[in-house]
Amino acid sequence: MNAIQDWLKRQTWYGTAGDMEHLRRFWHVNFGKRPDFKPNYIVPNMSSIIRCLSGGNGIAVIPDFLSKNELDSGNVKQIWEGYNVIENTLYFGTRKKQCT
């Protein structure tokens, strides 16, 4: 497990300015602690990360539903799902009564 952590830390990482929750959660679930490094590149959003990964080398933790098209087309590849797969539950809501 330490060898995997060391290898991952040596890679070029991409992240977003406002949301590093995906990386922190992935690291905590798989290694039992917070990541002790910061991404090499900070870009505005997840779409920018996917664009950067499609055009070059690097690693990022991205939800699969955001990268499905690029994975299917072969522009990016999944290198590791982790020891424990992370699933997010999304909730949608609306008002019961319409305001008039």
Side-chain angles (χ1 to χ4, degrees), residues 13-16 20 23 37-42:
W13 280 86
Y14 288 87
T16 58
M20 292 304 298
L23 174 59
F37 66 94
K38 301 233 187 256
N40 303 88
Y41 297 101
I42 301 295

Side-chain angles (χ1 to χ4, degrees), residues 29-57:
V29 166
N30 287 286
F31 302 117
K33 58 185 176 181
R34 293 177 65 107
D36 59 352
F37 66 94
K38 301 233 187 256
N40 303 88
Y41 297 101
I42 301 295
V43 295
N45 54 47
M46 292 286 180
S47 296
S48 297
I49 291 175
I50 294 170
R51 211 171 18 255
C52 290
L53 294 176
S54 296
N57 295 324

Side-chain angles (χ1 to χ4, degrees), residues 4-6 8-9 13 22-37 61 86:
I4 293 172
Q5 285 183 65
D6 291 340
L8 287 171
K9 289 179 193 179
W13 280 86
H22 292 96
L23 174 59
R24 281 193 294 265
R25 187 168 177 212
F26 174 83
W27 210 266
H28 188 276
V29 166
N30 287 286
F31 302 117
K33 58 185 176 181
R34 293 177 65 107
D36 59 352
F37 66 94
V61 176
I86 299 170

Side-chain angles (χ1 to χ4, degrees), residues 56-88:
N57 295 324
I59 295 178
V61 176
I62 302 171
D64 58 353
F65 68 91
L66 291 177
S67 57
K68 182 175 179 0
N69 291 340
E70 286 74 16
L71 286 167
D72 291 346
S73 68
N75 291 334
V76 297
K77 66 180 178 179
Q78 180 178 346
I79 59 167
W80 188 44
E81 228 177 33
Y83 294 117
N84 303 301
V85 177
I86 299 170
E87 291 187 13
N88 288 328

